[in-house]
Amino acid sequence: MINCNLISIIFIRTMTLVKEFLRFLVSVALIALFLSQSLPALADSALASDTFIGMKVAALLASPAGPIVGTVTPGTPVKVLKSVGAMSEVEISGWSTTNAPTNVFSAEGQRMLLVHIADPAQLTPAVSKVVKDEYGTFWQDVTVKAWIQQDATVSDVAKVWDAAQGLYNTRCSACHALHTPDQFTANQWPGVLRVMAKNASLTKDEDALILKFLQTNAKSQ
Ligand code: HEC
């Protein structure tokens, strides 16, 4: 009887320990799962740019006090290097061709304009590599470093695309049904919009915003 009780007590104790241990294992597994999900996300957000040019074309300056040496289009991601007063030094990465290096585009062969260099003597991009495309054009991977007004930027790029969509809906549906952005490729839209911008009497800023919106949502080749 005593033995029996003892055995059952030991059994119950052991089972409790086993249960505790299993619970511990489950907790460790859950914590590991949580960390594996959230750590890469944290690392990504730390690396990813969280600053973008706002709704208007922004001026690029050689120094915090000027002069203007180029422009950067709406929605372009920029990496903020440092800030002085209302100005920030930023880095913008893109691609340009060796025969027209003053236009910096989003990717090799993709003519979505990010930066226009107005003064190449004062705004000289750093070139990290050069590749030749199927048409024999040389594309260079470039980084532009310049100063911009902080209030020309936004941290939430969705605001830029919302404004662009609203403008597109109202200005581009007056004469015909709204065309969908995926009707043309990013390389075709500039030519189409050149004519239509006149039809819709778009300002330079409106033109740049709508073009960037159309190219961002364009047909993939
Ligand atoms: C004042 C009237 C008017 C406005 C405003 C207008 N369009 Fe058009 N659009 C036309 C006419 C007319 C055509 C057909 C003839 C042509 O292609 O020029 C056309 C054709 C088009 C086409 C077809 C082109 C092709 O090659 O198939 C697209 C795309 C287009 N418009 C986009 C736009 C966009 C984007 C806007 C806003 C920036 C816009 N339109 C504003 C009059 C207008």
Side-chain angles (χ1 to χ4, degrees):
M1 210 48 194
I2 290 169
N3 260 355
C4 229
N5 265 345
L6 200 62
I7 285 168
S8 67
I9 284 170
I10 288 171
F11 179 73
I12 289 167
R13 284 271 159 86
T14 312
M15 285 316 286
T16 313
L17 276 179
V18 166
K19 243 192 271 170
E20 288 298 321
F21 182 66
L22 285 178
R23 206 174 281 163
F24 169 75
L25 278 187
V26 168
S27 313
V28 168
L30 282 177
I31 290 169
L33 185 70
F34 171 76
L35 287 180
S36 71
Q37 300 280 307
S38 58
L39 279 184
L42 285 178
D44 274 355
S45 66
L47 285 176
S49 168
D50 55 359
T51 306
F52 303 86
I53 301 302
M55 285 66 150
K56 292 183 175 164
V57 176
L60 291 173
L61 313 180
S63 70
I68 295 176
V69 289
T71 51
V72 50
T73 60
T76 298
V78 299
K79 186 173 152 199
V80 177
L81 302 175
K82 59 170 175 265
S83 295
V84 176
M87 306 299 295
S88 290
E89 188 182 25
V90 297
E91 208 173 71
I92 302 161
S93 306
W95 290 78
S96 63
T97 63
T98 48
N99 35 346
T102 51
N103 288 328
V104 178
F105 301 106
S106 61
E108 183 207 337
Q110 195 80 3
R111 291 172 191 270
M112 179 156 84
L113 187 69
L114 302 183
V115 168
H116 174 68
I117 297 171
D119 186 346
Q122 293 203 66
L123 187 59
T124 313
V127 179
S128 62
K129 72 170 171 216
V130 182
V131 294
K132 190 177 171 184
D133 73 9
E134 56 193 293
Y135 308 103
T137 302
F138 288 96
W139 287 85
Q140 43 192 9
D141 189 350
V142 297
T143 307
V144 174
K145 217 196 262 189
W147 290 81
I148 58 168
Q149 205 112 33
Q150 262 156 43
D151 62 11
T153 65
V154 293
S155 55
D156 183 7
V157 77
K159 280 187 193 154
V160 177
W161 304 135
D162 282 352
Q165 175 87 63
L167 194 64
Y168 182 65
N169 291 357
T170 52
R171 303 294 288 280
C172 301
S173 63
C175 307
H176 46 65
L178 208 57
H179 289 266
T180 55
D182 63 3
Q183 198 175 329
F184 296 98
T185 65
N187 287 354
Q188 289 170 332
W189 268 118
V192 176
L193 193 64
R194 204 169 299 138
V195 181
M196 290 305 141
K198 286 198 195 100
N199 277 342
S201 351
L202 300 180
T203 65
K204 274 196 166 164
D205 282 330
E206 291 170 339
D207 189 346
L209 181 60
I210 287 180
L211 179 59
K212 197 66 171 296
F213 164 76
L214 290 171
Q215 290 184 305
T216 301
N217 298 288
K219 181 167 75 178
S220 52
Q221 297 314 316

